[in-house]
Structure formats: structure tokens, C-alpha cells
């Protein structure tokens, strides 16, 4: 479940020119960030089905994921422009 604080317009504006795979990667990283935070908060790796259903993906999770993928995207774009 995503939280209401997700700034979808910011994400859309900052993923212009991204491939579908890159956008999927952002979503997967955001979910990973949320799971990692949940594990650290609970102090255990085990998670029940109900806990998984209640996992909250926050704007911070998306911003962190977006930052990582944008770095990769810019690196690829720069290497394409090198002679």
C-alpha cells in the first residue's frame, strides 16, 4: 500500500525519458526500502501475510529509489554522449 504523501507529479516530471524498465525499477526499489525499514523497526526478518499487506511505501521510499535510478540514468546518458 502506498501512503497518501506520494508526490506522483514530482516522480512523473523527474522520470521523463525513462524506460518502462527503469520506472519499474523505481517502484521495486521503493518497495524494497519500505520492507527494509519495516524489518529494522521490528528487529526481525520474518513477516506474516497480514504484515506484508499492511506495509506502507512512503514518499521518502520513492525519492530514495528515484535518486538511485536517476544516477544510473544520467550515467548512461553521459556515456552515450561521450565521443
Amino acid at each position: 500500500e502506498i501512503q497518501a504523501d506520494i508526490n506522483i507529479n514530482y516522480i512523473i516530471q523527474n522520470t521523463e525519458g525513462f524506460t518502462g524498465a527503469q520506472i519499474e525499477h523505481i517502484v521495486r526499489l521503493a518497495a524494497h526500502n519500505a520492507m527494509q525499514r519495516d524489518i529494522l523497526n521490528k528487529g526481525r526478518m520474518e513477516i506474516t501475510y497480514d504484515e506484508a499487506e499492511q506495509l506502507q511505501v512512503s514518499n521518502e521510499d520513492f525519492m530514495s529509489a528515484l535518486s538511485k535510478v536517476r544516477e544510473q540514468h544520467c550515467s548512461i546518458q553521459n556515456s552515450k554522449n561521450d565521443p
Side-chain angles (χ1 to χ4, degrees), residues 16-56:
E16 186 174 338
F18 280 33
T19 65
Q22 288 170 314
I23 293 170
E24 178 183 7
H25 190 58
I26 291 168
V27 173
R28 288 182 185 271
L29 278 174
H32 175 79
N33 292 342
M35 286 187 283
Q36 187 174 20
R37 184 182 62 254
D38 191 61
I39 288 167
L40 291 173
N41 287 340
K42 290 181 176 152
R44 60 185 168 87
M45 293 287 290
E46 299 83 19
I47 186 169
T48 67
Y49 179 79
D50 290 334
E51 289 172 330
E53 287 292 313
Q54 294 173 12
L55 186 68
Q56 297 285 312

Side-chain angles (χ1 to χ4, degrees), residues 8 13 15-17 26 29 36-37 39 46 49 65 70-72 75 77-78 80-83:
I8 193 70
Q13 290 171 354
T15 54
E16 186 174 338
I26 291 168
L29 278 174
Q36 187 174 20
R37 184 182 62 254
I39 288 167
E46 299 83 19
Y49 179 79
R70 284 189 74 201
E71 266 183 40
Q72 295 168 351
S75 175
Q77 293 298 69
N78 289 338
K80 286 181 180 178
N81 295 330
D82 287 344

